[in-house]
Amino acid sequence: MSDFMKKFSLEGKVALITGASYGIGFAIASAYAQAGAKIVFNDIKQELVDKGLAAYEEKGIKAHGYVCDVTKEDQVQDMVAKIEKEVGVIDILVNNAGIIKRIPMCEMTADQFRQVIDVDLNAPFIVSKAVIPSMIKKGHGKIINICSMMSELGRETVSAYAAAKGGLKMLTRNIASEYGEFNIQCNGIGPGYIATPQTAPLREIQPDGSRHPFDQFIIAKTPAARWGETEDLQGPAVFLASDASDFVNGHVLYVDGGILAYIGKQPQ
């Protein structure tokens, strides 16, 4: 491997990806494993951790799974201490765990709003805070926050999610501002609309052979004219975790097929 290509290697690095039993987190963790990283993930229940471990094993990846609620600071501190002891100091953190509640704002309770903020914004603060001290000691670190197009745009029924993801964009910039001098880079990835099992019903062909209305809407709004695949996030995630991005800090990389750049098609 050339010296240049070595910059993209994650050989020997320890990567913690929160909530990575499946979906986007699993795809990112799988890419990191192929790039040479040791994979650590958590989930909120043992059964989810076990499912994740089985899925990694099926791909030939040796992953380390921990049960941890990332909104609870004591649990997170305990998990990070265990990881440092059992696997090694965390070099790469991906704050991937997240939830969304699609409820019109005036029908949403304050507790429901707080729950989304807790998982999508407070948890990245708590987990980042837990890993930064050891990154400072080691002299380097990468933190990648999974932001969203809702870090930039609003939409009906997602007031809490958009507020959290907008806040996460600014937390990303602030971690970069506060800890950049310690050779810690904090960036975000903003996925577009990604084809996952959860979005499959929105992509089903209708009985008359037409696309689902939401599918039509997304295709019309996306210059790439398709949904993203979880694989589309792997290259950007490896880049932001690698030495190749050492002077990229406080940036959100939108992997959205061009949606944010596009005003949309003129109605026929």
Side-chain angles (χ1 to χ4, degrees):
M1 191 191 291
S2 71
D3 285 349
F4 176 71
M5 289 309 293
K6 277 182 193 158
K7 284 181 177 290
F8 293 89
S9 168
L10 304 181
E11 200 61 51
K13 301 278 174 77
V14 176
L16 167 61
I17 303 95
T18 65
S21 301
Y22 60 91
I24 286 172
F26 182 82
I28 289 173
S30 301
Y32 285 176
Q34 288 176 66
K38 294 177 188 166
I39 301 306
V40 182
F41 73 99
N42 81 294
D43 220 312
I44 200 161
K45 290 184 188 145
Q46 187 66 54
E47 66 195 83
L48 291 170
V49 170
D50 291 342
K51 263 188 196 168
L53 288 169
Y56 286 112
E57 201 174 315
E58 205 176 297
K59 288 195 85 165
I61 295 167
K62 181 179 171 13
H64 305 262
Y66 294 83
V67 178
C68 176
D69 179 344
V70 285
T71 66
K72 303 281 190 286
E73 191 164 13
D74 55 344
Q75 288 187 32
V76 170
Q77 293 284 353
D78 287 349
M79 175 180 72
V80 168
K82 262 192 211 162
I83 293 166
E84 289 191 0
K85 194 174 160 193
E86 295 169 11
V87 189
V89 171
I90 294 158
D91 299 285
I92 301 156
L93 165 65
V94 181
N95 283 309
N96 166 74
I99 59 168
I100 187 166
K101 290 184 184 291
R102 293 183 178 89
I103 304 169
M105 184 172 150
C106 288
E107 292 167 29
M108 189 175 222
T109 66
D111 279 347
Q112 287 171 324
F113 188 91
R114 282 190 196 101
Q115 190 193 354
V116 175
I117 299 291
D118 210 20
V119 177
D120 293 358
L121 181 56
N122 292 343
F125 162 78
I126 289 167
V127 187
S128 299
K129 184 184 158 188
V131 303
I132 286 170
S134 290
M135 287 180 172
I136 291 173
K137 273 187 208 150
K138 202 167 185 181
H140 73 82
K142 301 279 183 177
I143 297 173
I144 297 159
N145 292 323
I146 302 302
C147 296
S148 165
M149 286 188 304
M150 302 300 118
S151 300
E152 301 290 340
L153 300 171
R155 198 167 170 267
E156 301 82 355
T157 76
V158 294
S159 57
Y161 185 79
K165 293 297 189 179
L168 188 57
K169 174 181 72 175
M170 292 312 300
L171 179 63
T172 301
R173 290 177 179 174
N174 210 80
I175 293 170
S177 305
E178 206 163 340
Y179 296 103
E181 67 179 292
F182 300 103
N183 193 27
I184 293 169
Q185 291 83 48
C186 182
N187 293 291
I189 290 178
Y193 284 89
I194 305 294
T196 62
Q198 292 95 312
T199 58
L202 300 172
R203 287 175 283 109
E204 276 174 7
I205 298 298
Q206 302 302 285
D208 66 359
S210 67
R211 287 179 181 271
H212 186 287
F214 191 77
D215 190 15
Q216 289 179 32
F217 166 68
I218 293 306
I219 298 302
K221 287 292 287 179
T222 309
R226 67 174 177 87
W227 288 65
E229 302 291 337
T230 52
E231 291 77 13
D232 289 316
L233 298 164
Q234 291 180 322
V238 169
F239 166 65
L240 290 177
S242 75
D243 294 347
S245 62
D246 278 357
F247 205 56
V248 179
N249 212 357
H251 176 76
V252 181
L253 175 49
Y254 290 99
V255 186
D256 65 356
I259 290 181
L260 285 171
Y262 186 41
I263 197 168
K265 281 190 171 70
Q266 183 179 327
Q268 299 301 309

